[in-house]
């Protein structure tokens, strides 16, 4: 009878011991997942496409985020939703736990990188920025202007210059650089179409493209928002009177690499399609990527009689309606320069 009791008690003890062991094992796995990873600073971590559970474990061990203790497979069994991780590039913060990292991988919320193109920059500036951008897939390098025009579905005959909207753009790792250009181009197209539709009446532009060219000149002439519409009025008035624009930024653009920081008298008498001291009307293409403020100024210039402007030495300009007044303003500016030396 006693033997029978022992036989009945033994399985019960085994079950209890197994339950206790299982409880502590689960607790060990939970502690494992709740531990903070060994990171001194935030880490950009990439889970390559096709990575399996064992592959992810290897990556975590290689980055010394976990130790090789065989607990990760058990964690995946205990919480299978953590095993549904996605490929991508993620930002791991130094205070994250292992579970938080796995949840991040499962969410697919990749880190967003940013790239900023400033107003007044040129296509050559954009190319350098794209080349140096991290985690960007470079496809535009080595492409000709004609190649890029086709890739962007742009109108034949129009320059790439000026057609990309300056702004800050977010992207994830592996984004193609042509996609960023496409987004910037499409945004500029939308803005130009809208401003062309709502433009002031009787402007001396034959097309929206000419308005874009004007906006790029305004952008390079001033960084003072309150002056943009006045600057636009000077050039619009000159176009109406068939006067040459005589604007230095177009000359500089036409000189290209020959420009070293100073416009010499010989520069003004050297012909290029952009030398507005020699050509009639607008240059053939934009000379920079204009801001929205400059585009709006080109579409809605101030109503003035101004035909000239010159720097005032304080970051702004003095506007005049005739050559005599303009020459006086130029002399005052030169005197100020001498006094500041």
């Amino acid at each position: 009878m006693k033997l029978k009791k022992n036989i009945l008690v033994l399985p019960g003890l085994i079950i209890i011991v197994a339950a206790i062991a299982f409880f502590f094992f689960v607790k060990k796995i939970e502690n494992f997942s709740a531990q903070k990873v060994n990171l001194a600073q935030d880490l950009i971590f990439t889970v390559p496409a096709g990575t399996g559970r064992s592959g992810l474990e290897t990556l975590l061990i290689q980055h010394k985020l976990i130790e090789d203790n065989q607990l990760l497979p058990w964690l995946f069994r205990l919480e299978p939703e953590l095993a549904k991780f996605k490929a991508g590039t993620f930002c791991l913060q130094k205070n994250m736990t292992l579970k938080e990292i796995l949840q991040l991988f499962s969410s697919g919320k990749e880190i967003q990188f940013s790239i900023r193109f400033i107003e007044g920059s040129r296509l050559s500036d954009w190319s350098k920025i794209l080349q140096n951008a991290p985690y960007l897939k470079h496809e535009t390098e080595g492409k000709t202007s004609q190649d890029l025009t086709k890739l962007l579905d742009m109108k034949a005959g129009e320059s790439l210059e000026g057609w990309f909207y300056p702004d800050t753009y977010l992207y994830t790792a592996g984004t193609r650089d042509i996609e960023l250009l496409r987004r910037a181009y499409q945004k500029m197209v939308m803005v130009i179409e809208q401003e062309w539709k709502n433009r002031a009446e009787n402007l001396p532009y034959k097309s929206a493209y000419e308005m874009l060219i004007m906006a790029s000149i305004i952008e390079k002439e001033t960084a003072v928002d309150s002056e943009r519409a006045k600057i636009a009025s000077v050039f619009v008035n000159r176009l109406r009177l068939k006067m040459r624009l005589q604007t230095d930024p177009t000359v500089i653009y036409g000189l290209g690499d020959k420009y070293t920081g100073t416009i010499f008298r010989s520069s003004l008498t050297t012909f290029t399609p952009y030398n507005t001291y020699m050509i009639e009307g607008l240059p053939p293409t934009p000379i920079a990527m204009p801001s929205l403020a400059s585009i709006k100024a080109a579409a809605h210039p101030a109503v003035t009689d101004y035909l000239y402007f010159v720097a005032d030495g304080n970051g702004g300009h003095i506007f005049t309606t005739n050559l005599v007044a303009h020459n006086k303003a130029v002399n005052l500016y030169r005197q100020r320069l001498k006094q500041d030396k």
Side-chain angles (χ1 to χ4, degrees), residues 104-127:
L104 177 62
F105 294 163
S106 298
S107 72
K109 293 179 181 177
E110 295 187 68
I111 182 174
Q112 294 273 319
F113 299 94
S114 66
I115 190 168
R116 182 170 180 260
F117 301 109
I118 63 172
E119 298 89 346
S121 56
R122 299 178 180 177
L123 182 62
S124 56
D125 301 318
W126 285 47
S127 297

Side-chain angles (χ1 to χ4, degrees), residues 253-264:
Y253 187 84
L255 291 173
D257 294 336
K258 294 179 182 178
Y259 177 68
T260 57
T262 302
I263 296 180
F264 298 100

Side-chain angles (χ1 to χ4, degrees), residues 187-200 208 211 292 295-296 299-300:
K187 188 169 183 178
M188 183 63 88
V189 168
M190 180 183 68
V191 169
I192 291 297
E193 287 179 350
Q194 183 66 29
E195 294 304 321
W196 179 249
K197 180 181 177 182
N198 297 327
R199 70 190 184 280
M211 187 182 72
L292 178 60
I295 296 170
K296 285 184 174 295
H300 299 276

